[in-house]
Amino acid sequence: MSDGPVRSGPVRRLASIGFRPGDDADERVRKATLTLSTSLITVLSTGWTTYYFTLGLPRAAAIPLAYQLVSLVSLAVFARTKRYGGFRTAQLAIMLVFPFLLQWTLGGFVPSGAVALWALSSPLGALMFAGTRQAWPWFAGFVALVVASGPLDRVLEPVSIPASTRAAFFVADVIGVSLTAYLLLQYFVRERERERERSERLLLNVLPAPVAERLKEHHGVIADRFEQATVLFADIVDFTPRSAGARPEEVVRLLDEVFTTFDGLAHEHGLEKIKTIGDAYMVAGGIPVPRQDHLEAVAGMALAMTPAVRAIGGLELRIGIDTGPVVAGVIGRSRFIYDLWGDTVNTASRMESQGIPGRIQVTERVASALEPCFVLEPRGTVEVKGKGPMSTWFLVGAR
C-alpha cells in the first residue's frame, strides 16, 4: 500500500509522523491533517505569547505558551507511540478550552479581541479528525462555553489594552481562524479527492468502467445475460516445466511482460480482459457493452497474440475461441471480480486446453461466422471433455 497523502518534502514528512503500516488511506488523511493543524496553531501561538509578554501580561502569555508546550509534547508522544485516539482527544480538548481561558483572563470578548474564536477549530477539527458522529459533542461544548462567557463578561475585570491594539487583534483572530480553517479544509478535501481518484483507478483496473459505475451507484447483485459474446482463452505452452528452475522474480517478470502485451492488444481491439489464471489469459468481446463485430475483434486479437508472444523468449500459445450466450456479473465483497459463466465459456476453455501448440482452435459456429473474412482450416472431429465429439477448426489468418 502507498503512503496515501504523504509523498515527499518536510511538510509531508511531518504529516506522516503518526502513521502505522496498517493504516488505510482515510486514517492517514485524518492523522496527517491533525498533525499539520497542531503544528500550524503551535507556530501561530508564538505571536500571541510574545505579544502578551510585551504588554506585561504574564498570566495571559502563559496560556498560549502552555498550549505550545502541551502540543509539542503530545506531538512527540504521538510520533513515538502512534496512538491516534489519545492524541486527537488531547488536541481537541486544548483547542476548545485554552482560547476561552485566554479570553476570560483578558476580561471578556472585547478586551481579548474575541480570541475565543480559535476554539471553533475544535469542532471543525473533530469533523475532519474523528467524523460527524463524534464531532457534535465538541460543537456542543463550544456553544456551551460561548453561552457561559456571556454572563462572565459582566463580572470579569478587563485588562488595560489600547483600543487600537484590541481592534488589530480582533482582525488578526478572525483572519487567523479563517485562514487556518481554510488551509486545513483545503488540505483535507484535496487529499480525500486524491485518494478517491486513486481508489477509482484501482477499481477500473479490476472491473470494466460501465460495471464499476453501476457498482458505485448500488450494492445489489450485478448480473447480465448477453445472447451474443465471444470468449478467448490463451495458455502458454509448457510454462510449468519452463518456470520450474527459474527464480521467482524471473517467472513474474515474464508473465508480466506477456500479460501486459495481451492487455495492450485487448485495448487495441476494444475487448475486455476478464482475468488471468496462472499462465492462462481470458478475454471477451461483446461485453459489458454489446458490439456487432465482437467475434471478428477477438479473432483479430488471437492472430496478433501468437507472433507477439513468440517475440518474448520464443514462447508458444494454445488458443481457444467460442461464441454464443454468456452470463456476466460481479462476485465478491472485499475483493471484486468480473467473471463470465455458461457453456460458451466452458467450450472456449476446452478449445484451448485440447488444442495444439501454436494454433488457434475454434468451434464450428465460430468457423461458420468467420469464414467470409478469415481463412480457416478444418481439424476434424475431436473428443472434447464434457462435450463429446465436436467438429473443430483452426483459425489461420485474415482473407
Side-chain angles (χ1 to χ4, degrees):
M1 181 177 179
S2 73
D3 284 344
V6 177
R7 287 165 183 82
S8 61
V11 174
R12 301 286 184 176
R13 287 194 294 272
L14 172 63
S16 67
I17 62 172
F19 288 3
R20 293 179 184 269
D23 290 343
D24 61 23
D26 185 69
E27 186 80 352
R28 289 175 180 239
V29 171
R30 293 181 187 276
K31 286 183 175 182
T33 309
L34 177 54
T35 301
L36 292 178
S37 69
T38 301
S39 303
L40 177 60
I41 298 175
T42 299
V43 171
L44 293 177
S45 297
T46 304
W48 274 256
T49 303
T50 304
Y51 175 73
Y52 291 130
F53 268 124
T54 304
L55 287 179
L57 300 170
R59 288 177 56 197
I63 294 174
L65 178 61
Y67 174 86
Q68 290 180 293
L69 295 176
V70 173
S71 294
L72 290 173
V73 170
S74 63
L75 279 170
V77 172
F78 180 48
R80 183 174 180 179
T81 65
K82 317 297 182 186
R83 294 178 179 174
Y84 178 55
F87 175 58
R88 179 182 61 201
T89 301
Q91 283 303 309
L92 292 177
I94 62 175
M95 285 178 181
L96 179 64
V97 174
F98 277 34
F100 282 98
L101 289 178
L102 180 57
Q103 177 172 290
W104 298 337
T105 301
L106 293 171
F109 284 99
V110 175
S112 68
V115 73
L117 284 173
W118 282 97
L120 187 59
S121 61
S122 177
L124 289 179
L127 283 171
M128 294 183 283
F129 314 144
T132 55
R133 184 172 298 179
Q134 298 182 52
W136 73 265
W138 296 101
F139 182 72
F142 173 77
V143 172
L145 289 171
V146 170
V147 172
S149 296
L152 278 177
D153 257 27
R154 293 193 293 269
V155 299
L156 293 174
E157 183 178 347
V159 298
S160 178
I161 299 177
S164 59
T165 303
R166 289 200 305 267
F169 259 76
F170 179 79
V171 172
D173 286 332
V174 171
I175 293 176
V177 173
S178 303
L179 180 62
T180 302
Y182 174 77
L183 291 176
L184 293 176
L185 284 170
Q186 183 190 58
Y187 175 85
F188 186 77
V189 171
R190 185 179 69 245
E191 295 301 334
R192 277 291 186 85
E193 290 176 347
R194 186 173 292 165
E195 288 304 321
R196 187 179 68 249
E197 291 172 358
R198 177 175 173 271
S199 298
E200 290 183 355
R201 286 196 302 270
L202 290 175
L203 189 62
L204 291 176
N205 285 337
V206 177
L207 302 176
V211 176
E213 287 300 321
R214 289 171 60 188
L215 186 64
K216 287 189 290 185
E217 291 175 2
H218 66 87
H219 298 286
V221 175
I222 294 180
D224 301 292
R225 179 177 178 84
F226 298 89
E227 294 301 330
Q228 292 295 326
T230 302
V231 180
L232 176 152
F233 281 90
D235 181 77
I236 302 175
V237 177
D238 295 329
F239 183 79
T240 300
R242 179 183 182 128
S243 61
R247 297 196 307 272
E249 57 269 23
E250 292 176 348
V251 175
V252 174
R253 189 180 300 113
L254 177 61
L255 285 176
D256 180 66
E257 184 177 0
V258 170
F259 291 156
T260 299
T261 300
F262 291 170
D263 289 347
L265 290 173
H267 179 75
E268 179 183 334
H269 288 82
L271 303 174
E272 193 65 50
K273 171 188 174 180
I274 303 302
K275 60 184 175 181
T276 61
I277 312 168
D279 60 316
Y281 189 90
M282 179 182 178
V283 70
I287 58 127
V289 179
R291 54 183 290 187
Q292 293 296 321
D293 62 342
H294 55 88
L295 179 53
E296 290 79 3
V298 171
M301 176 173 173
L303 292 169
M305 291 170 77
T306 298
V309 81
R310 282 175 181 163
I312 305 173
L315 300 175
E316 288 284 2
L317 295 176
R318 274 191 307 268
I319 299 177
I321 302 174
D322 192 23
T323 190
V326 300
V327 172
V330 177
I331 57 175
R333 289 296 179 266
S334 59
R335 293 187 179 183
F336 300 112
I337 181 172
Y338 184 70
D339 211 346
L340 307 181
W341 300 272
D343 182 69
T344 301
V345 178
N346 296 334
T347 303
S349 178
R350 297 302 183 205
M351 289 297 99
E352 176 273 311
S353 62
Q354 296 183 237
I356 295 176
R359 306 302 299 269
I360 304 168
Q361 183 168 239
V362 303
T363 59
E364 187 170 10
R365 56 185 173 183
V366 171
S368 298
L370 289 180
E371 196 276 334
C373 300
F374 290 83
V375 177
L376 294 115
E377 174 186 312
R379 182 184 182 185
T381 301
V382 176
E383 188 70 25
V384 178
K385 182 179 178 181
K387 301 289 293 183
M390 292 183 65
S391 296
T392 64
W393 300 68
F394 290 128
L395 174 61
V396 178
R399 291 189 184 278

